Amino acid sequence: MQTGLKITAFAAGLAATFGSAYALGGALDPVAAPKEPSHQESPEGHGEKESPAAEKSAGEVPELPGGLQVSQGGFTLDLDTPRIEAGEPAELRFAVVDEGTSRNVTAFRREHDKELHLIVASSDLTTYRHLHPERAADGTWSTPVELPEAGGYRVFADFTPDEKNAEGVTLGADLAVSGDARPEPLPKPERTVTVDGYEVTLDGALSPGAGSELKLEVEKDGKPVTDLQPYLGAYGHLVALRAGDLAYLHVHPNGEPGDGRTKSGPEVSFTATAPSKGAYRLFLDFRHEGKVRTAAFTVYAGGAAPEKSAPQDGESADHGH
Ligand SMILES: [Cu+2]
């Protein structure tokens, strides 16, 4: 188990390194997260014997955040198209393989209206896509995609196998987008961002190791938007990725359309847990007037932005050099 832990941590570290990311996806046989609970020594003299809570969580709680591994929880993301060209229409094809049977998984549980959510994000977190691929009867999935910028990307498959007691899994595989790559620094934290004429304001903070509420308020032309449309079974869909290694956070909407208490805006509420301190990028998809838009925010869990990530004199056009 000790060895497994080390290799897992090593693989996650490698995946975070820009440049080595290309070779990693297909070449490395990943090690599943250990299922044993961590053995915590109880302090002497407190009279604590066995901890039922620790026993209960055995095999249930993943040791790592999602999205860092191509194999986790007995499933492997087999990305058939690990390289595409920047600025060209392309197709992503993949399958989710059951390690036990070596067969493609064909039975998925619907979560947020879909059997599988595919997120594609660039390593620098400036390009983001939330896609819903089509599944063929044999368990192969495909979706058209066009990515404007070259560089290292990660493809996340977020799904729940249709099995008894199954839990949601997010597998991640590297995708190389060839062309002239010019990675960008992480955008500065802003409380309000503008997308297509909508102003979206974030209230709340990410906390390391604890669930916290994030509220996002949508305005248009200075007026609150109160007629958001359901998208994927909620008034918003939020994905959070950790800067540096693109760990994928599970974020749950608080309330859903039609439950008698959740309003269709201007505020959408989520609960998120950050696995560590540090920088994260949040991507909020919301639907209004028939169109889905994405507002993105940089946030720091457990503290303010470090000085170095707040440039003094605006955006330089030359930071790619
Ligand atoms: Cu989705």
Side-chain angles (χ1 to χ4, degrees), residues 291-309:
K291 205 177 160 195
V292 176
R293 294 173 173 90
T294 305
F297 298 83
T298 297
V299 297
Y300 288 84
E307 281 301 313
K308 63 182 165 73
S309 68

Side-chain angles (χ1 to χ4, degrees), residues 13 17 27 43 52 63 81 90 113 121 125-127 171 192 204 207 236 241 246 249 255:
T17 311
E63 298 283 327
T81 50
D113 284 355
L125 293 171
T126 56
T127 302
L171 304 176
T192 300
S207 301
L241 299 175
L246 306 196
L249 278 62

Side-chain angles (χ1 to χ4, degrees), residues 184-200:
E184 302 277 336
L186 189 68
K188 283 182 282 182
E190 308 274 5
R191 276 289 158 191
T192 300
V193 302
T194 303
V195 51
D196 291 348
Y198 291 84
E199 291 198 320
V200 184

Side-chain angles (χ1 to χ4, degrees), residues 18 22 85-86 148-151 177-183 320-321:
F18 188 80
Y22 291 2
E85 295 280 329
E149 305 287 340
V177 179
S178 53
D180 184 15
R182 303 187 65 182
H321 293 276

Side-chain angles (χ1 to χ4, degrees), residues 111-114 116-119 128 130-133 158 231-232 237 239 248 285:
E111 299 281 356
H112 299 296
D113 284 355
K114 300 286 177 184
L116 185 146
H117 302 265
L118 195 77
I119 305 297
Y128 175 86
H130 181 162
L131 307 168
H132 296 112
D158 182 341
Y231 174 57
L232 304 169
H237 196 91
V239 165
Y248 183 100
D285 294 328

